[in-house]
Amino acid sequence: MPVAIITGASKGLGLALAEGLAGRGWDLVLDARTAAPLDEAVRGLSRHGTRVAGFAGDVTDAGHRAELVAAARQLGGVDLLVHNASALGAEPLVELAELPLAGLRRALEVNAVAALGLVQQALVPLRVSEAGAVVVVSSDAAAEAYPAWGGYGASKAAVDQLAAVLGVEEPGLRVWAVDPGDMATDLYAAAVPGDDGPRPAPDAVVPAFLRLLDERPPSGRYAAPALLEA
């Protein structure tokens, strides 16, 4: 069975992606910061009959990232790496004039530096996979100038560029930066408290990610809404 590593997988988009892959028979190695919801997610995903391992920790910790890759190797390798873990930099979001520099550093460390660190540790098994792929979860804030989204957007723009260069440097892999579009997630609620306007549930965009895996288009940046409409 193919094996995927997914960070930030105890809830939201990460959990929805894990559900979609488990339903297709994928074995999973999952990461999240908090053990209790991750353990619950692992139990729920196990009903699909695939192997699911969860590791609570911080993706900015190299030892934790190594633990994830080692677990995937024990399951057979790494066919897909999804970096979904994200940090906002400030909760709620604030304008750049007020953004704590420590918060910006945290967003860059989680959203970009940890993504590259995990890729570096997983590159050997990814390269030998018949269909090795890397997905980094991006945001429209990486490309648009939204007030108060500057720190988070800068970190997502950074990971977009890392993914773009990795796709050129590793032509044997597929490397996709995916903007999932607006979703009803805890991350958005923390970013903009009180904005309870209707938004799609994370599982509504999972078919866009699965389409990438099925069709394997060239490495690049993709928007989930466009994939769903095409």
Side-chain angles (χ1 to χ4, degrees):
M1 294 297 179
V3 181
I5 298 173
I6 306 175
T7 65
S10 65
K11 57 186 178 180
L13 178 60
L15 179 56
L17 288 171
E19 286 277 3
L21 292 174
R24 289 184 163 207
W26 284 66
D27 294 326
L28 304 171
V29 175
L30 308 180
D31 146 272
R33 287 293 305 275
T34 307
L38 180 60
D39 291 343
E40 183 179 351
V42 169
R43 288 193 296 270
L45 291 163
S46 295
R47 75 182 188 278
H48 291 285
T50 61
R51 296 174 294 176
V52 184
F55 296 88
D58 190 330
V59 291
T60 66
D61 178 3
H64 175 61
R65 296 194 300 266
E67 184 179 37
L68 298 175
V69 175
R73 284 179 175 272
Q74 289 183 344
L75 293 178
V78 183
D79 301 288
L80 172 65
L81 170 58
V82 180
H83 187 67
N84 169 68
S86 291
L88 290 167
E91 297 182 12
L93 294 177
V94 295
E95 294 188 353
L96 290 176
E98 302 172 10
L99 179 65
L101 294 185
L104 175 59
R105 292 189 187 99
R106 176 65 181 171
L108 288 165
E109 285 285 342
V110 173
N111 302 349
V113 178
L116 179 57
L118 189 53
V119 165
Q120 289 175 337
Q121 289 176 307
L123 260 181
V124 171
L126 279 167
R127 284 168 174 161
V128 300
S129 169
E130 292 183 1
V134 174
V135 172
V136 297
V137 177
S138 184
S139 168
D140 56 347
E144 301 292 339
Y146 300 133
W149 289 86
Y152 178 78
S155 69
K156 290 297 187 177
V159 78
D160 278 2
Q161 180 66 2
L162 290 173
V165 174
L166 182 67
V168 173
E169 294 176 342
E170 298 289 337
L173 303 179
R174 289 293 187 269
V175 184
W176 301 303
V178 183
D179 171 11
D182 274 353
M183 296 181 295
T185 63
D186 289 351
L187 187 77
Y188 187 85
V192 191
D195 183 356
D196 55 358
R199 287 178 177 80
D203 57 5
V205 304
V206 169
F209 289 82
L210 298 180
R211 180 177 178 185
L212 290 174
L213 294 175
D214 289 341
E215 299 181 5
R216 293 183 63 81
S219 296
R221 191 177 192 276
Y222 293 85
L227 290 169
L228 293 171
E229 293 171 1

